[in-house]
Amino acid sequence: VTLVGETNLPALVAADSSSLYARNVLDFLKLVLPKDGGFQVPMDDDIVAACLMTQGGEVRRK
């Protein structure tokens, strides 16, 4: 039997998912922290809407 592929696949999957998570967090921070130093959260943005748990004291997502 000859196996073709990465021999350390579990470690590579973990590293890839960690990199993807870090990139998504960085993209989100770039969205809410503009270059001028102000803090703004565009509530109509799809990424923000998908991450929003509460708003105005009401639970939006369980």
Side-chain angles (χ1 to χ4, degrees):
V1 175
T2 303
L3 297 176
V4 177
E6 296 291 337
T7 58
N8 199 11
L9 187 58
L12 291 174
V13 169
D16 287 346
S17 63
S18 180
S19 297
L20 179 62
Y21 174 76
R23 188 179 73 215
N24 287 340
V25 169
L26 181 60
D27 287 344
F28 180 75
L29 289 176
K30 285 179 183 176
L31 174 71
V32 298
L33 298 172
K35 293 180 182 177
D36 66 0
F39 181 76
Q40 62 184 22
V41 179
M43 301 308 270
D44 59 339
D45 187 84
D46 292 338
I47 296 172
V48 173
C51 298
L52 195 61
M53 299 296 286
T54 65
Q55 182 180 16
E58 296 181 20
V59 176
R60 302 270 312 245
R61 185 182 306 263
K62 292 184 181 184

